[in-house]
Amino acid sequence: MKNKMSLLALAATAWLGTTANTPVPRSVENPFIESANTMTLDISKVELSDTATVLYTDAYFRPHYWIKISSESYLQADGKKYALKSTQGIEADSLFWMPETGEASFRLSFEPLPRDTRSFDFIESDCNECFKLFGIDLTGKTEATVPSDIPAEAIRATEAVPSSLPAPLFKMGETVVHVHLSGYRKEQAKEVNLYVNTLLNGQQSFTAPINPNTGEAEFKFWQYGSAQAFILAGIGVNRVWLAPGEKIDLYIDMHQSGQMLMDRRTQKKQLPPFKSATRCYATGTYAGLTSSALYPDKPYSMNLFSKESADYKMTAAEYTQHVVQLYQSLSDSIAQSDLPSVGKELALLKLKQEAVEAMAQGDALRTYNYRMVHNQWDRNKPLDIKIDSLTAENRAALCKLFPIADEQLLMGENIMSYARSISNPLIDWPEEAKLKGTFAEDLQRVLPLVQKAANISLTETDRKILESVHNPFYRDAILKMLENAQIALKEVEGKAIIEKTPEVTPDKLFEALIAPYKGKVILVDFWNTWCGPCRMSIRANEPLKEQELKSDNLVWIYLANETSPLVTYKQAIPNIKGKHFRLNNEQWKYLCEQFKIDGIPSYVLVDKSGHYQLRNDFRDHEVMKNTLKKMIE
């Protein structure tokens, strides 16, 4: 009996030992993700076992658009790759069409990761555009720390929020922005884009390549007055203020892309509640304005271009009352917010600028509302109603709320729209609001001369106007723009080829433009240098001209007009393969009316038989590429 009991005990011990050594699947919910090159994919759970590593994957994309997961996807950990084995809910290498909700979930099973793996990367094959998530954590990490390679002095400067908002600087100089990308991976981005919102020049955009070995990029440009800028590196956008003539270092934590993914989980009430943090650190005069603590998560905005903002049925008096009440409500909300004092000041300045735009553009905004409500975007067709126009008396109601020409407004975030509004040539603000002798009167005089300086076409009359401004900064800035344009023009001479526009009447112009290429497929691209979507589309097409769309039977014609500054235009076109024409206002207007063009970019496609039609479905780049491929095969 004793022997029998001993044998049973041994058997039980053996069974327990076997059970204890049996691998139990381990799950990590909502894993911390260090960085990414996409906002389309997220990982809600990682399930690990000795047979597979399973990623519970969430996808977010436009409804009825497709995504695809490559069969060559793999996980990477400690220098080793673990291949994709199977999928559930999506088929590898096939188009997956997003549902109406724009959200979907599926599972991806890979070869098993070692059980001691602390983090790994998800690589959806090695192509440049493929999805990549880096540093998927398996240890329970919940928040990122400031990278050690960001200098302490930059952190201190950014966190030193000023007690009051600095005054705008009325000076000019060459600004240098040296960008350091902390935690940079070459898969995240190849270039950095800088968008500078200026007082005089509108939005100026610059692109700089990233040194793949150092993760650094640099911008140099002439700046006229204080400016706010937005810098785009990968999928993160950062805000920075620039003082003219300064050299600043800008440190961007590339882990912000992972933070963006996890912030979305928090918004969806998923756990853990990841914390947001400053991801950009700067040096220079305005370093303290970089702190994210100064800016509300949801801006206090009139949302002027939303359907609810300006009802076209409002009379001028009703619209004025609407703007005044909305301003008062939002300004009260700003005062009661938990923003620091400088943050409140910035938010209020932005709101004031928006209110000036609301009254300066009130007729246009109500017209826009009518077009939205009735989906009537043919601007050649007159409206079925008459908008009750705003008068000086209506605008006077705004001037009672705050001084509309306070120079501190030039430090507001809506500086471009404010400058356009306060200098609106159809409104005599200086007379109406007693602004004679202020910068508002100066802006009315000099803003029309900015483009003339960029086109090297200032006249003696223009120069006399410049001599009449009250603040010599504006005169000196325009003359410096002219000087820089002349220097830049010399640098591009011989590099930019502008075709001679046929000397025919506007009604025969299009046929004359395409006649030399009879029997070929012709894509006519209406664009301008100031149009961001135009530049993006052109940039996407350039590589295709030497790859999928390389053909002697495909001709690219680019039409711009004189709103593209001459120097900027000549600097751009050497990098755009095709035939370039710069039309005058009459020619451009006629062609836009001929094809009922509602904005740019717009495209007219000419087939081999000479038949042509407007193809604005080509704003979808995939549609353009696939259509042209079929036509030249």
Side-chain angles (χ1 to χ4, degrees):
M1 187 71 174
K2 183 177 180 181
N3 289 340
K4 187 174 182 182
M5 292 297 293
S6 298
L7 289 171
L8 289 172
L10 288 170
T13 301
W15 179 82
L16 287 170
T18 302
T19 303
N21 291 326
T22 300
V24 177
R26 180 164 65 97
S27 294
V28 179
E29 301 277 350
N30 293 307
F32 179 89
I33 297 176
E34 186 179 81
S35 59
N37 73 341
T38 180
M39 284 289 288
T40 299
L41 293 190
D42 191 11
I43 307 299
S44 61
K45 184 170 73 169
V46 181
E47 194 170 78
L48 303 106
S49 71
D50 284 350
T51 58
T53 298
V54 182
L55 305 188
Y56 288 71
T57 308
D58 295 329
Y60 303 84
F61 203 53
R62 292 174 62 181
H64 311 303
Y65 277 63
W66 58 265
I67 63 172
K68 185 166 63 174
I69 297 294
S70 170
S71 61
E72 297 180 1
S73 299
Y74 59 90
L75 305 183
Q76 186 166 270
D78 298 322
K80 296 182 179 180
K81 296 181 179 180
Y82 301 86
L84 179 68
K85 294 172 58 179
S86 63
T87 63
Q88 185 176 340
I90 190 172
E91 185 177 345
D93 297 327
S94 296
L95 303 186
F96 179 87
W97 296 91
M98 295 297 291
E100 185 66 38
T101 60
E103 299 181 14
S105 297
F106 46 83
R107 298 181 190 179
L108 306 175
S109 296
F110 296 83
E111 294 174 332
L113 292 169
R115 294 188 68 79
D116 60 351
T117 301
R118 299 180 63 83
S119 71
F120 65 93
D121 302 331
F122 165 70
I123 309 295
E124 192 250 325
S125 87
D126 293 322
C127 74
N128 291 331
E129 297 78 19
C130 293
F131 303 130
K132 296 176 177 65
L133 305 177
F134 303 107
I136 303 171
D137 184 77
L138 300 176
T139 68
K141 186 176 182 180
T142 60
E143 60 181 295
T145 56
V146 178
S148 59
D149 59 346
I150 297 180
E153 57 267 27
I155 297 173
R156 285 194 298 269
T158 300
E159 293 177 346
V161 174
S163 57
S164 61
L165 191 63
L169 297 173
F170 294 101
K171 65 177 188 177
M172 57 188 173
E174 187 177 51
T175 300
V176 179
V177 181
H178 194 84
V179 182
H180 309 258
L181 304 178
S182 177
Y184 169 71
R185 295 175 182 253
K186 67 181 189 311
E187 297 92 346
Q188 290 175 296
K190 293 183 178 179
E191 60 189 24
V192 179
N193 295 296
L194 181 68
Y195 302 92
V196 185
N197 295 340
T198 74
L199 171 63
L200 298 177
N201 303 82
Q203 187 177 82
Q204 302 290 291
S205 62
F206 307 94
T207 301
I210 300 171
N211 183 322
N213 299 316
T214 64
E216 296 179 347
E218 187 169 270
F219 299 91
K220 289 183 180 180
F221 54 91
W222 269 83
Q223 183 181 333
Y224 310 90
S226 306
Q228 188 190 55
F230 293 89
I231 189 159
L232 175 63
I235 63 173
V237 179
N238 298 275
R239 178 193 287 108
V240 62
W241 286 84
L242 303 174
E246 278 195 342
K247 179 176 182 179
I248 74 163
D249 286 290
L250 192 62
Y251 299 88
I252 297 177
D253 182 357
M254 295 299 284
H255 300 151
Q256 64 183 304
S257 52
Q259 184 71 57
M260 291 166 65
L261 290 174
M262 294 181 290
D263 284 346
R264 180 168 59 194
R265 297 178 193 169
T266 303
Q267 294 164 10
K268 293 170 70 68
K269 309 298 183 190
Q270 293 180 341
L271 296 177
F274 297 100
K275 299 177 182 178
S276 295
T278 298
R279 296 295 177 187
C280 183
Y281 305 86
T283 62
T285 298
Y286 295 137
L289 299 182
T290 307
S291 174
S292 59
L294 296 177
Y295 304 95
D297 292 333
K298 295 183 179 179
Y300 299 97
S301 174
M302 291 184 172
N303 296 316
L304 295 181
F305 293 91
S306 67
K307 187 176 288 188
E308 296 77 20
S309 175
D311 191 333
Y312 71 90
K313 295 188 290 293
M314 289 178 176
T315 64
E318 290 170 338
Y319 176 77
T320 301
Q321 184 181 23
H322 166 70
V323 171
V324 169
Q325 290 177 343
L326 188 55
Y327 170 82
Q328 291 172 330
S329 173
L330 288 169
S331 60
D332 287 344
S333 297
I334 291 170
Q336 296 167 15
S337 73
D338 57 1
L339 289 170
S341 59
V342 173
K344 290 180 180 180
E345 192 175 353
L346 276 168
L348 187 58
L349 287 175
K350 184 176 181 180
L351 177 62
K352 288 177 178 178
Q353 292 173 322
E354 202 171 15
V356 172
E357 181 180 16
M359 292 307 293
Q361 309 293 340
D363 297 351
L365 289 169
R366 283 177 290 155
T367 300
Y368 181 79
N369 173 263
Y370 179 88
R371 294 191 184 282
M372 274 201 298
V373 171
H374 294 85
N375 195 29
Q376 186 187 118
W377 299 106
D378 183 358
R379 287 174 171 78
N380 299 310
K381 180 180 178 181
L383 298 183
D384 297 330
I385 64 159
K386 179 174 174 56
I387 300 295
D388 186 23
S389 296
L390 296 177
T391 66
E393 182 181 356
N394 299 127
R395 290 186 287 271
L398 175 71
C399 299
K400 294 176 183 177
L401 295 175
F402 56 87
I404 67 170
D406 177 2
E407 283 192 348
Q408 197 63 35
L409 282 165
L410 301 182
M411 286 297 290
E413 295 184 70
N414 284 336
I415 188 171
M416 293 187 300
S417 57
Y418 172 71
R420 288 195 302 269
S421 299
I422 204 73
S423 61
N424 188 330
L426 302 179
I427 301 174
D428 192 359
W429 282 117
E431 186 66 36
E432 288 184 14
K434 298 181 175 56
L435 302 183
K436 286 187 177 295
T438 70
F439 73 87
E441 187 176 30
D442 283 347
L443 282 177
Q444 275 203 328
R445 292 173 179 173
V446 303
L447 277 184
L449 304 182
V450 170
Q451 185 173 327
K452 298 184 78 172
N455 282 327
I456 315 178
S457 60
L458 284 180
T459 65
E460 286 303 314
T461 301
D462 297 329
R463 291 176 183 272
K464 289 179 181 178
I465 291 174
L466 289 176
E467 293 301 323
S468 70
V469 298
H470 303 90
N471 186 338
F473 160 76
Y474 296 104
R475 176 199 64 216
D476 295 344
I478 296 295
L479 293 178
K480 187 62 180 178
M481 289 178 196
L482 173 64
E483 179 187 334
N484 286 340
Q486 291 169 331
I487 293 171
L489 187 60
K490 288 182 180 178
E491 292 176 351
V492 297
E493 283 299 332
K495 299 177 183 178
I497 299 176
I498 303 175
E499 305 293 335
K500 184 178 180 181
T501 303
E503 295 180 358
V504 296
T505 56
D507 60 311
K508 296 180 180 177
L509 178 58
F510 191 80
E511 284 75 10
L513 289 171
I514 65 175
Y517 315 106
K518 186 176 181 180
K520 297 186 177 185
V521 176
I522 308 168
L523 183 66
V524 183
D525 185 336
F526 288 75
W527 77 295
N528 272 300
T529 58
W530 44 261
C531 169
C534 301
R535 297 194 306 270
M536 289 176 63
S537 177
I538 289 170
R539 187 184 305 178
N541 282 334
E542 283 310 294
L544 300 178
K545 294 176 183 178
E546 297 299 325
Q547 299 168 9
E548 298 169 79
L549 298 181
K550 184 176 182 179
S551 172
D552 292 335
N553 291 319
L554 176 58
V555 178
W556 304 77
I557 292 179
Y558 293 91
L559 304 182
N561 65 20
E562 292 172 352
T563 63
S564 289
L566 180 62
V567 177
T568 306
Y569 179 70
K570 283 195 169 186
Q571 288 174 324
I573 62 176
N575 300 315
I576 306 171
K577 186 177 180 181
K579 303 293 182 179
H580 293 274
F581 296 87
R582 191 165 183 259
L583 308 183
N584 62 35
N585 183 60
E586 181 186 10
Q587 294 165 334
W588 178 269
K589 183 179 179 182
Y590 184 88
L591 292 185
C592 287
E593 291 174 352
Q594 177 182 350
F595 291 107
K596 294 182 168 47
I597 286 174
D598 60 0
I600 56 175
S602 278
Y603 306 94
V604 174
L605 178 64
V606 185
D607 64 21
K608 292 179 181 179
S609 69
H611 174 74
Y612 52 80
Q613 61 176 322
L614 183 70
R615 289 294 302 267
N616 277 349
D617 57 331
F618 278 16
R619 290 170 178 166
D620 183 329
H621 191 253
E622 287 297 313
V623 173
M624 175 194 290
K625 182 178 72 173
N626 293 332
T627 302
L628 293 177
K629 280 179 66 176
K630 291 178 182 177
M631 294 181 72
I632 62 177
E633 286 176 352

